[in-house]
Amino acid sequence: MRFIPTAIRLRSRQQVAGKTIMLSAVLGRMFDRDIERACVLAHRDELTFQNEGKFKRVNPSLSTSIFNANEKSWDGQVAFAMVQTLSRESNLQSLPPLDTLVIDEAHHTRAGSYMRVIEHAQNINPNLKLLGMTATPNRVDKKGLRPIFSNVSDQITVKELIASGHLVPPRTFVMNVGVQEELSKVRKTALDYDMGAVADIMNTRRRSMMRWFNTGKKKPKRRGALKVRQGNQRTIVKRSYSARPLSMRGMSWPALSVQASPQA
């Protein structure tokens, strides 16, 4: 792996690319070169422990410690910290001088809790190296990461992962729920369709679909909202149910009229 000696950088990886392993390899290389203490910041406990576990596999010679609500230790050469815990003022006062701060899921960096940690660490060491790792660099609120990271040092795309054999080419399936004619009459507003009109059509159909999946008195749990997109003479309907296989619900696939759609 080529090391890029940039103080503040962002790496963008798809979720299947092995982001944590890459993070561990880059950080290990930095220890070989010029750093002595680092912190890896995450926003969930499971990520904190997952990062530490994988880091140990890649760098067995480096010591680690955990800083979260239950354990607050800076004893390791690399500390794996929960941002919610570390960002509290009383805990920030215990932060030792860091050579490198790594932000896992770096698209969250604009949040106040992350900024408090970054600013405090930079006040202690103005030469702090900041590394961000994320599979989803685009934020919904449109707030860019440029104020925090000076450059994107590397990026892996889905196309590259397919070409390298790490992902299979996607196939699209279209489920015909009998509303194509109604949806074709929905007017377009600016750059998108009138989603209120789409909802009026699909909400009625949704109740029918839920009855198809219902196995008795209890309605199935839903894990997501109905998403509809109309384009290129086709309607794509995505639905997230905590559903058992249809064969267990007394249904067969042909009843749903599912057909493959050619890729664009």
Side-chain angles (χ1 to χ4, degrees), residues 178-231:
V179 295
Q180 284 87 346
E181 183 178 352
E182 295 172 84
L183 288 171
S184 67
K185 300 175 183 177
V186 174
R187 65 185 180 89
K188 200 172 184 180
T189 59
L191 299 177
D192 206 349
Y193 288 91
D194 183 346
M195 296 311 294
V198 172
D200 290 340
I201 296 169
M202 297 306 301
N203 283 344
T204 301
R205 190 64 55 178
R206 177 172 59 186
R207 289 193 290 270
S208 299
M209 291 177 69
M210 290 180 70
R211 285 198 293 272
W212 293 350
F213 283 91
N214 203 350
T215 57
K217 295 181 180 179
K218 187 177 180 180
K219 291 184 178 179
K221 290 182 180 179
R222 293 183 58 217
R223 288 184 176 172
L226 184 68
K227 298 180 181 179
V228 181
R229 187 181 71 193
Q230 185 180 12

Side-chain angles (χ1 to χ4, degrees), residues 24-141:
S24 301
V26 170
L27 199 51
R29 184 72 60 86
M30 294 173 75
F31 269 92
D32 291 340
R33 287 172 173 262
D34 61 354
I35 71 171
E36 297 179 359
R37 184 184 291 272
C39 175
V40 178
L41 205 58
H43 69 291
R44 293 204 305 267
D45 257 335
E46 57 266 34
L47 288 178
T48 301
F49 291 113
Q50 173 185 302
N51 289 344
E52 183 192 31
K54 292 185 177 179
F55 182 86
K56 285 181 175 179
R57 290 169 57 189
V58 176
N59 303 289
S61 64
L62 295 175
S63 61
T64 63
S65 57
I66 293 290
F67 196 98
N68 62 12
N70 300 318
E71 181 182 354
K72 296 177 176 61
S73 172
W74 296 108
D75 293 340
Q77 292 168 281
V78 182
F80 293 84
M82 275 276 289
V83 64
Q84 292 91 334
T85 303
L86 182 55
S87 61
R88 295 172 184 169
E89 187 60 33
S90 58
N91 292 328
L92 279 176
Q93 298 308 313
S94 70
L95 182 69
L98 299 174
D99 299 307
T100 300
L101 178 61
V102 181
I103 312 295
D104 191 16
E105 308 294 349
H107 51 281
H108 293 299
T109 306
R110 292 294 298 269
S113 55
Y114 283 89
M115 293 306 302
R116 285 193 295 275
V117 175
I118 292 171
E119 290 170 0
H120 191 86
Q122 288 176 331
N123 287 336
I124 297 174
N125 178 14
N127 295 318
L128 176 77
K129 294 181 175 69
L130 184 63
L131 171 63
M133 305 287 288
T134 181
T136 52
N138 298 322
R139 290 173 56 95
V140 176
D141 61 9

Side-chain angles (χ1 to χ4, degrees), residues 224-237:
L226 184 68
K227 298 180 181 179
V228 181
R229 187 181 71 193
Q230 185 180 12
N232 298 328
Q233 302 301 316
R234 64 184 183 183
T235 302
I236 299 175
V237 180

